[in-house]
Amino acid sequence: MIVKILPPSATFKGVRYNTNKVDKDKGELMKVANFGALQALQNLRPKDYVNYLEAQSAASKRTKYPQLHSVISCKGRSHSKQELTAIAEQWLKGMGYGEQPYLLVFHKDTANNHIHIVSTRVDREGKKINDSFEKIRAYEVLNRIVGVDEKQEIDKNIEKALSYGFSTRAQFMMLLEARGYSLKLSDGVYQISHYGKRQGAVSLEQVDAKISTFDKDISRLAQLRAVFAKYRSQYDPAVVHVPAPLPGNRPSAPSGYTSAMAQMLSGKFGVQIIFHGKDGKPPYGYTVIDHSRKMVYKGKDLMPLAEFIAPSQDISEISDKADRTEPTEKERKPLQEETATYTDHVQGTSEQWMPNIQIDIADDIDDEAIHGRNRRRKRKARTNTR
């Protein structure tokens, strides 16, 4: 389960955003609480709620961004609107907002049930609700409510990641980063953080020992190539951008890549395709995660990217030039930020252990394909300056 505190706002535009969802039958107002005498009136307009929240917030001149707008989401339909409402109520109490005026609006227009919370950060005495370490506390409170043992959870996920076969340290990091963890290598140990704090650790020695046992399954890769060839005419392999729509259906920069072929491989065969790219540009490589066999491969082990994404009629024109399979350190975007980014259009998650999302990783670039090219460019530049 995910909780996201949306960016601060000086106005209570979250009220109108959510009531618009209700008006379009994409949402349902589940609860209005602590609005005093206002709740006794009938046919209330969104502006009435906004006026009340603004009036209470005006008691604090120092609070520039009084709106609290948060989202709590579950995986798929695992929790009903009533269950999410109960969780949201408990979460508000745990965060210090139990006595604040608030609205709870359930949204049903995405693959994941989720509920929006709108309130004010200013109490009736004009004091601001404590927001110290707010994002960390948001998860601590939610985890207590739903009974998640954070230590037990990270131990389980480390064990799952180590149960996969992988050939590089970056691929191991990918398995955990896709679950929302961030990893930092320090003194031979990967320090693993989640919910804004350190949760666990795994030694580099363990990871390298697992890498040393990696044995590429040639027959499985051949089988996947045969599957690809069989379905190429039915499922378009061309890559398309995956946008992350903003509230109000405003456009945003692409947040990842997918294709009809990639979606088919995931749904039918448990094979996840992760395309690597940056800033909305075409992807420069990809990774194959075979969940059914618990194996991770560089995309070029299956076939070159150009061949993998080419329309069937163009396949004969594709060269075998090696792909750059993974980003550089400079290009790396922390995956934890990406998986935690929450718009109203909550991203769907796969039934596999890892969600089907875009991933950027850093330290597994093919040396000859990338560093070799960089070295040649530097030598050429030095020659030209002489």
Side-chain angles (χ1 to χ4, degrees), residues 179-203:
R179 300 297 297 172
Y181 296 100
S182 61
L183 287 80
K184 180 179 180 181
L185 183 60
S186 177
D187 298 326
V189 175
Y190 281 113
Q191 305 293 341
I192 304 172
S193 300
H194 203 195
Y195 310 128
K197 62 181 181 180
R198 184 179 176 278
Q199 299 282 1
V202 61
S203 70

mmCIF file of all heavy atoms in Angstrom, residues 179-203:
data_model
loop_
_atom_site.group_PDB
_atom_site.id
_atom_site.type_symbol
_atom_site.label_atom_id
_atom_site.label_comp_id
_atom_site.label_asym_id
_atom_site.label_seq_id
_atom_site.Cartn_x
_atom_site.Cartn_y
_atom_site.Cartn_z
ATOM 1 N N ARG A 179 11.153 -2.207 -6.128
ATOM 2 C CA ARG A 179 10.221 -2.317 -5.007
ATOM 3 C C ARG A 179 10.161 -1.032 -4.192
ATOM 4 O O ARG A 179 9.504 -0.980 -3.160
ATOM 5 C CB ARG A 179 10.639 -3.470 -4.081
ATOM 6 C CG ARG A 179 10.665 -4.839 -4.755
ATOM 7 C CD ARG A 179 9.309 -5.265 -5.228
ATOM 8 N NE ARG A 179 8.365 -5.414 -4.119
ATOM 9 C CZ ARG A 179 7.063 -5.631 -4.266
ATOM 10 N NH1 ARG A 179 6.546 -5.694 -5.474
ATOM 11 N NH2 ARG A 179 6.285 -5.756 -3.220
ATOM 12 N N GLY A 180 10.863 0.009 -4.652
ATOM 13 C CA GLY A 180 10.815 1.294 -3.965
ATOM 14 C C GLY A 180 11.955 1.528 -3.000
ATOM 15 O O GLY A 180 12.003 2.557 -2.330
ATOM 16 N N TYR A 181 12.905 0.599 -2.939
ATOM 17 C CA TYR A 181 14.047 0.777 -2.045
ATOM 18 C C TYR A 181 15.137 1.584 -2.747
ATOM 19 O O TYR A 181 15.245 1.571 -3.970
ATOM 20 C CB TYR A 181 14.622 -0.577 -1.632
ATOM 21 C CG TYR A 181 13.686 -1.432 -0.817
ATOM 22 C CD1 TYR A 181 12.971 -2.472 -1.406
ATOM 23 C CD2 TYR A 181 13.488 -1.191 0.547
ATOM 24 C CE1 TYR A 181 12.098 -3.256 -0.668
ATOM 25 C CE2 TYR A 181 12.623 -1.971 1.291
ATOM 26 C CZ TYR A 181 11.924 -2.996 0.682
ATOM 27 O OH TYR A 181 11.051 -3.761 1.412
ATOM 28 N N SER A 182 15.944 2.261 -1.969
ATOM 29 C CA SER A 182 17.145 2.900 -2.504
ATOM 30 C C SER A 182 18.347 2.218 -1.875
ATOM 31 O O SER A 182 18.314 1.837 -0.699
ATOM 32 C CB SER A 182 17.158 4.402 -2.198
ATOM 33 O OG SER A 182 17.162 4.633 -0.803
ATOM 34 N N LEU A 183 19.410 2.044 -2.670
ATOM 35 C CA LEU A 183 20.582 1.327 -2.211
ATOM 36 C C LEU A 183 21.818 2.210 -2.337
ATOM 37 O O LEU A 183 21.976 2.926 -3.330
ATOM 38 C CB LEU A 183 20.810 0.043 -3.016
ATOM 39 C CG LEU A 183 19.850 -1.122 -2.761
ATOM 40 C CD1 LEU A 183 18.531 -0.926 -3.499
ATOM 41 C CD2 LEU A 183 20.471 -2.448 -3.161
ATOM 42 N N LYS A 184 22.668 2.138 -1.333
ATOM 43 C CA LYS A 184 23.923 2.881 -1.355
ATOM 44 C C LYS A 184 25.028 1.954 -0.868
ATOM 45 O O LYS A 184 24.931 1.372 0.216
ATOM 46 C CB LYS A 184 23.833 4.117 -0.449
ATOM 47 C CG LYS A 184 25.111 4.947 -0.433
ATOM 48 C CD LYS A 184 24.960 6.173 0.461
ATOM 49 C CE LYS A 184 26.241 7.007 0.471
ATOM 50 N NZ LYS A 184 26.092 8.184 1.371
ATOM 51 N N LEU A 185 26.070 1.827 -1.682
ATOM 52 C CA LEU A 185 27.184 0.956 -1.333
ATOM 53 C C LEU A 185 28.161 1.705 -0.453
ATOM 54 O O LEU A 185 28.666 2.767 -0.820
ATOM 55 C CB LEU A 185 27.882 0.464 -2.607
ATOM 56 C CG LEU A 185 29.030 -0.530 -2.419
ATOM 57 C CD1 LEU A 185 28.538 -1.797 -1.729
ATOM 58 C CD2 LEU A 185 29.661 -0.868 -3.766
ATOM 59 N N SER A 186 28.421 1.166 0.733
ATOM 60 C CA SER A 186 29.331 1.802 1.684
ATOM 61 C C SER A 186 30.113 0.737 2.434
ATOM 62 O O SER A 186 29.522 -0.144 3.077
ATOM 63 C CB SER A 186 28.539 2.668 2.678
ATOM 64 O OG SER A 186 29.386 3.231 3.653
ATOM 65 N N ASP A 187 31.428 0.797 2.304
ATOM 66 C CA ASP A 187 32.304 -0.144 3.010
ATOM 67 C C ASP A 187 31.924 -1.600 2.746
ATOM 68 O O ASP A 187 31.876 -2.428 3.663
ATOM 69 C CB ASP A 187 32.284 0.129 4.523
ATOM 70 C CG ASP A 187 32.805 1.510 4.868
ATOM 71 O OD1 ASP A 187 33.711 1.984 4.162
ATOM 72 O OD2 ASP A 187 32.291 2.115 5.830
ATOM 73 N N GLY A 188 31.638 -1.910 1.489
ATOM 74 C CA GLY A 188 31.351 -3.278 1.123
ATOM 75 C C GLY A 188 29.973 -3.775 1.503
ATOM 76 O O GLY A 188 29.714 -4.982 1.463
ATOM 77 N N VAL A 189 29.071 -2.848 1.834
ATOM 78 C CA VAL A 189 27.721 -3.238 2.229
ATOM 79 C C VAL A 189 26.719 -2.336 1.515
ATOM 80 O O VAL A 189 26.882 -1.112 1.477
ATOM 81 C CB VAL A 189 27.519 -3.122 3.758
ATOM 82 C CG1 VAL A 189 26.073 -3.420 4.137
ATOM 83 C CG2 VAL A 189 28.463 -4.063 4.497
ATOM 84 N N TYR A 190 25.689 -2.930 0.955
ATOM 85 C CA TYR A 190 24.588 -2.147 0.408
ATOM 86 C C TYR A 190 23.662 -1.759 1.549
ATOM 87 O O TYR A 190 23.010 -2.606 2.158
ATOM 88 C CB TYR A 190 23.803 -2.954 -0.630
ATOM 89 C CG TYR A 190 24.452 -3.020 -1.990
ATOM 90 C CD1 TYR A 190 24.949 -4.217 -2.482
ATOM 91 C CD2 TYR A 190 24.562 -1.880 -2.789
ATOM 92 C CE1 TYR A 190 25.546 -4.282 -3.736
ATOM 93 C CE2 TYR A 190 25.151 -1.929 -4.033
ATOM 94 C CZ TYR A 190 25.644 -3.125 -4.506
ATOM 95 O OH TYR A 190 26.240 -3.193 -5.738
ATOM 96 N N GLN A 191 23.602 -0.452 1.840
ATOM 97 C CA GLN A 191 22.663 0.068 2.819
ATOM 98 C C GLN A 191 21.337 0.294 2.100
ATOM 99 O O GLN A 191 21.281 1.001 1.100
ATOM 100 C CB GLN A 191 23.169 1.374 3.437
ATOM 101 C CG GLN A 191 24.554 1.276 4.062
ATOM 102 C CD GLN A 191 24.572 0.384 5.286
ATOM 103 O OE1 GLN A 191 23.520 0.114 5.891
ATOM 104 N NE2 GLN A 191 25.746 -0.087 5.668
ATOM 105 N N ILE A 192 20.284 -0.310 2.610
ATOM 106 C CA ILE A 192 18.992 -0.297 1.923
ATOM 107 C C ILE A 192 18.007 0.567 2.705
ATOM 108 O O ILE A 192 17.772 0.332 3.897
ATOM 109 C CB ILE A 192 18.450 -1.731 1.766
ATOM 110 C CG1 ILE A 192 19.486 -2.591 1.028
ATOM 111 C CG2 ILE A 192 17.132 -1.725 1.015
ATOM 112 C CD1 ILE A 192 19.141 -4.052 0.985
ATOM 113 N N SER A 193 17.450 1.555 2.030
ATOM 114 C CA SER A 193 16.520 2.485 2.669
ATOM 115 C C SER A 193 15.142 2.391 2.036
ATOM 116 O O SER A 193 15.006 2.090 0.844
ATOM 117 C CB SER A 193 17.029 3.923 2.559
ATOM 118 O OG SER A 193 18.284 4.056 3.184
ATOM 119 N N HIS A 194 14.152 2.652 2.854
ATOM 120 C CA HIS A 194 12.764 2.676 2.393
ATOM 121 C C HIS A 194 11.982 3.556 3.358
ATOM 122 O O HIS A 194 12.333 3.673 4.524
ATOM 123 C CB HIS A 194 12.195 1.251 2.397
ATOM 124 C CG HIS A 194 11.027 1.079 1.475
ATOM 125 N ND1 HIS A 194 10.177 -0.003 1.529
ATOM 126 C CD2 HIS A 194 10.566 1.851 0.447
ATOM 127 C CE1 HIS A 194 9.252 0.096 0.590
ATOM 128 N NE2 HIS A 194 9.465 1.215 -0.070
ATOM 129 N N TYR A 195 10.931 4.191 2.857
ATOM 130 C CA TYR A 195 10.125 5.097 3.678
ATOM 131 C C TYR A 195 10.988 6.193 4.296
ATOM 132 O O TYR A 195 10.709 6.702 5.370
ATOM 133 C CB TYR A 195 9.404 4.333 4.790
ATOM 134 C CG TYR A 195 8.639 3.124 4.337
ATOM 135 C CD1 TYR A 195 8.837 1.879 4.943
ATOM 136 C CD2 TYR A 195 7.729 3.195 3.296
ATOM 137 C CE1 TYR A 195 8.143 0.761 4.525
ATOM 138 C CE2 TYR A 195 7.034 2.080 2.873
ATOM 139 C CZ TYR A 195 7.246 0.865 3.490
ATOM 140 O OH TYR A 195 6.559 -0.240 3.077
ATOM 141 N N GLY A 196 12.108 6.518 3.617
ATOM 142 C CA GLY A 196 12.947 7.606 4.086
ATOM 143 C C GLY A 196 13.928 7.250 5.176
ATOM 144 O O GLY A 196 14.588 8.131 5.727
ATOM 145 N N LYS A 197 14.073 5.981 5.509
ATOM 146 C CA LYS A 197 15.032 5.609 6.544
ATOM 147 C C LYS A 197 15.654 4.250 6.233
ATOM 148 O O LYS A 197 15.114 3.464 5.465
ATOM 149 C CB LYS A 197 14.354 5.574 7.914
ATOM 150 C CG LYS A 197 13.243 4.547 8.045
ATOM 151 C CD LYS A 197 12.617 4.599 9.428
ATOM 152 C CE LYS A 197 11.511 3.553 9.588
ATOM 153 N NZ LYS A 197 10.898 3.595 10.924
ATOM 154 N N ARG A 198 16.794 3.990 6.862
ATOM 155 C CA ARG A 198 17.503 2.743 6.627
ATOM 156 C C ARG A 198 16.687 1.573 7.165
ATOM 157 O O ARG A 198 16.224 1.579 8.296
ATOM 158 C CB ARG A 198 18.863 2.773 7.319
ATOM 159 C CG ARG A 198 19.724 1.548 7.044
ATOM 160 C CD ARG A 198 21.063 1.677 7.762
ATOM 161 N NE ARG A 198 21.867 0.487 7.591
ATOM 162 C CZ ARG A 198 21.739 -0.629 8.307
ATOM 163 N NH1 ARG A 198 20.817 -0.690 9.257
ATOM 164 N NH2 ARG A 198 22.520 -1.668 8.089
ATOM 165 N N GLN A 199 16.533 0.546 6.317
ATOM 166 C CA GLN A 199 15.717 -0.601 6.681
ATOM 167 C C GLN A 199 16.522 -1.885 6.820
ATOM 168 O O GLN A 199 16.135 -2.792 7.558
ATOM 169 C CB GLN A 199 14.617 -0.823 5.631
ATOM 170 C CG GLN A 199 13.649 0.322 5.477
ATOM 171 C CD GLN A 199 12.608 0.361 6.588
ATOM 172 O OE1 GLN A 199 12.622 -0.460 7.494
ATOM 173 N NE2 GLN A 199 11.717 1.323 6.536
ATOM 174 N N GLY A 200 17.604 -1.993 6.076
ATOM 175 C CA GLY A 200 18.356 -3.241 6.110
ATOM 176 C C GLY A 200 19.655 -3.111 5.361
ATOM 177 O O GLY A 200 20.032 -2.023 4.904
ATOM 178 N N ALA A 201 20.352 -4.218 5.199
ATOM 179 C CA ALA A 201 21.636 -4.212 4.518
ATOM 180 C C ALA A 201 21.911 -5.594 3.952
ATOM 181 O O ALA A 201 21.390 -6.601 4.437
ATOM 182 C CB ALA A 201 22.749 -3.799 5.480
ATOM 183 N N VAL A 202 22.724 -5.604 2.908
ATOM 184 C CA VAL A 202 23.187 -6.872 2.344
ATOM 185 C C VAL A 202 24.627 -6.652 1.896
ATOM 186 O O VAL A 202 24.964 -5.608 1.331
ATOM 187 C CB VAL A 202 22.295 -7.338 1.174
ATOM 188 C CG1 VAL A 202 22.298 -6.336 0.047
ATOM 189 C CG2 VAL A 202 22.712 -8.701 0.682
ATOM 190 N N SER A 203 25.473 -7.599 2.194
ATOM 191 C CA SER A 203 26.892 -7.424 1.897
ATOM 192 C C SER A 203 27.168 -7.577 0.408
ATOM 193 O O SER A 203 26.517 -8.360 -0.297
ATOM 194 C CB SER A 203 27.730 -8.435 2.684
ATOM 195 O OG SER A 203 27.540 -9.745 2.183
#
